[in-house]
Amino acid sequence: MDANSRRLLFRIGTVGFYVDLGALVEIREQVTEQVDYGQVDPQLSVTGALAFRRTMIPVIDLSERLGLESGLTDTALVLHSSEGNWALLVDRVEGFCSVPEMVDHPLPQLLQAPGWRCFHQLAIFNGAPFLRLELSSCYAGGQP
């Protein structure tokens, strides 16, 4: 089974999200002390930079932009995009699952607010909803 046929499940606050495993480079834990919070770009939700493989990568925190109450966010998902590697702060990793284990649905009208959003699909796994995180909306330009 290849990485694109598996998904990584995680939470920001109490909201479940997922990404295709092929976008994941690494899961980093206990990153709070490692983030340089002096490198900030609020318009792109960049809250700092993290040393990763001899370079500094942007750290994105979507909790405020999505209006989610986040706990102690000490885990980062290092993700790959066309702009290179970047880190997403998450509250916790739920685990991995295969694509057939999830039931995909279109995004309900209730969640289709106008303006910027970083998710466009809903999937159910073990009775719990998870939003598909659109990585290009989260960081690739990140413009609302």
Side-chain angles (χ1 to χ4, degrees):
M1 187 176 300
D2 71 359
N4 289 324
S5 64
R6 295 187 50 79
R7 294 174 174 169
L8 171 68
L9 309 174
F10 58 93
R11 293 201 178 271
I12 300 174
T14 60
V15 178
F17 293 94
Y18 74 90
V19 295
D20 291 330
L21 195 54
L24 180 68
V25 177
E26 185 174 304
I27 298 172
R28 302 277 301 265
E29 295 179 323
Q30 301 175 341
V31 297
T32 303
E33 305 267 329
Q34 301 170 23
V35 175
D36 175 0
Y37 291 102
Q39 299 186 38
V40 177
D41 186 346
Q43 193 165 16
L44 297 178
S45 301
V46 174
T47 60
L50 177 68
F52 181 72
R53 297 183 183 170
R54 291 186 246 160
T55 188
M56 297 300 280
I57 62 173
V59 175
I60 308 294
D61 184 355
L62 294 177
S63 61
E64 186 175 321
R65 195 164 188 187
L66 292 173
L68 300 173
E69 284 194 35
S70 185
L72 176 61
T73 307
D74 199 28
T75 301
L77 306 178
V78 177
L79 302 164
H80 181 73
S81 70
S82 58
E83 284 74 31
N85 293 332
W86 56 282
L88 175 67
L89 294 177
V90 302
D91 288 318
R92 76 175 183 271
V93 172
E94 294 270 311
F96 303 92
C97 72
S98 65
V99 171
E101 291 179 276
M102 296 184 90
V103 179
D104 295 336
H105 298 281
L107 195 64
Q109 285 289 333
L110 178 67
L111 298 176
Q112 294 183 19
W116 179 87
R117 71 174 180 265
C118 60
F119 47 87
H120 301 282
Q121 182 175 331
L122 175 79
I124 305 296
F125 177 70
N126 287 341
F130 289 86
L131 296 168
R132 178 180 183 181
L133 199 62
E134 297 293 337
L135 300 181
S136 62
S137 296
C138 297
Y139 179 64
Q143 299 300 319

